[in-house]
Amino acid sequence: MGKPARNVRSRDNPERKVGLARALSKLGYCSRSTAAKLIAAGRVRLNGSLPRNPETPVRLGFDRIEVDGIRVGRSEKVYWILNKPRGAVTTANDEQGRPTVYSGLPAGLPWMAPVGRLDKASEGLLLFTNDSEWAARIAAPESHLDKTYHVQVAAVADEQMLQKLVTGVKSIEGEVLRAKSARPNRAGEKNSWIEIVLDEGKNRQIRRMLEVCGVNVLRLIRVAIGPLELGPLEKGAARELKQEEKQALDRELGPARQASTIQ
């Protein structure tokens, strides 16, 4: 006899439940933190009820969610690229009033979240999307998607330093950090530029590696994610991904992880 069929739940199966705040985020309405505030303020209804717990379970594609009396539906999926300027923080709202990465996005777009992070002092390629599952695949360390950085350091990089970055160093916290590759880009008398490729993407990985090497980072610019290059996009500017760029990223993730194409 054959094996009994497995009860596989699809993404749109009404049995699949997520918290209410997360549901609003997955539907592309707003961030989870903003959703939690809307729920606490009594502006969100779920099947006519007025929950105040952001973790209230929701069956996506089945339950009715309303904000201020207007039903929330799934937004069209959008994919954007930003050339993040130095000094902008990767958050929607900053309590200290610092400029955020959202200031470079045009008005009128569905709510989008940044894919991964670049710290305040870092620059370059930052992706945005309301496709949370695709974003998770791009950012996941196990995807081993190359991220390429151009790093200016206050030293002239030699072969010993570059080899150390690839072989691996132990951070102050005791974590082993290594680059996939590191090669010289250009050099002056007192500083130089290095091209570093990562395929893990741990928090502040490059800065932490170079700190162990006793080298100060002057600038750090992400110039590519997989086959997607920053190119001539001006600092602080943003644009929608071209369909072929999105498809190239999907191919890089592999057939098992390919996401939907741009509509």
Side-chain angles (χ1 to χ4, degrees):
M1 295 178 62
K3 294 181 180 180
R6 295 173 63 193
N7 182 21
V8 179
R9 296 183 181 181
S10 70
R11 271 189 243 170
D12 298 320
N13 192 309
E15 292 182 7
R16 181 173 179 264
K17 296 180 180 180
V18 298
L20 180 55
R22 187 180 178 197
L24 284 167
S25 173
K26 290 179 74 66
L27 290 170
Y29 185 82
C30 62
S31 68
R32 290 173 68 175
S33 59
T34 298
K37 293 176 182 176
L38 292 173
I39 294 163
R43 295 172 59 185
V44 181
R45 288 189 176 273
L46 176 63
N47 298 325
S49 67
L50 201 62
R52 296 301 178 101
N53 183 353
E55 298 301 322
T56 300
V58 172
R59 297 167 293 176
L60 278 174
F62 185 80
D63 289 331
R64 182 185 182 92
I65 304 173
E66 296 172 279
V67 178
D68 297 333
I70 300 174
R71 184 166 186 174
V72 177
R74 191 176 294 275
S75 299
E76 178 184 358
K77 292 176 181 176
V78 290
Y79 308 86
W80 280 68
I81 176 176
L82 168 76
N83 185 350
K84 177 192 174 297
R86 185 172 185 169
V89 291
T90 309
T91 184
N93 298 293
D94 183 65
E95 295 179 354
Q96 300 178 39
R98 295 172 296 183
T100 77
V101 292
Y102 283 86
S103 61
L105 299 177
L109 292 174
W111 178 82
M112 298 186 294
V115 180
R117 300 181 69 86
L118 284 175
D119 63 37
K120 179 185 173 185
S122 299
E123 312 165 51
L125 197 164
L126 184 63
L127 289 169
F128 283 82
T129 185
N130 57 357
D131 186 343
S132 58
E133 294 182 358
W134 183 81
R137 287 191 291 268
I138 292 289
E142 59 268 21
S143 72
H144 295 292
L145 189 63
D146 288 352
K147 281 85 171 179
T148 305
Y149 300 81
H150 287 174
V151 187
Q152 184 185 29
V153 296
V156 177
D158 56 20
E159 188 59 36
Q160 183 179 4
M161 178 200 296
L162 298 175
Q163 186 58 45
K164 191 173 182 180
L165 294 175
V166 175
T167 303
V169 300
K170 183 173 287 189
S171 71
I172 296 172
E173 300 82 9
E175 185 178 13
V176 176
L177 306 171
R178 59 175 59 88
K180 180 177 180 179
S181 67
R183 65 180 185 85
N185 194 316
R186 60 187 186 273
E189 293 183 1
K190 296 183 179 180
N191 58 65
S192 58
W193 285 86
I194 311 169
E195 181 177 278
I196 297 178
V197 178
L198 303 180
D199 64 355
E200 295 179 319
K202 297 177 181 177
N203 183 44
R204 300 184 75 253
Q205 182 171 343
I206 291 176
R207 295 184 188 278
R208 291 162 65 201
M209 287 193 298
L210 289 168
E211 182 181 8
V212 173
C213 296
V215 177
N216 185 35
V217 174
L218 302 177
R219 290 184 69 187
L220 192 156
I221 307 170
R222 183 157 62 194
V223 297
I225 295 178
L228 178 66
E229 297 182 353
L230 183 61
L233 187 64
E234 293 184 5
K235 195 176 301 295
R239 65 170 177 82
E240 190 170 11
L241 282 189
K242 299 173 184 176
Q243 179 150 340
E244 56 267 28
E245 292 174 326
K246 168 66 166 49
Q247 291 172 340
L249 281 167
D250 288 344
R251 286 193 297 270
E252 194 76 10
L253 289 170
R257 297 198 196 95
Q258 283 185 15
S260 58
T261 58
I262 298 175
Q263 301 299 315

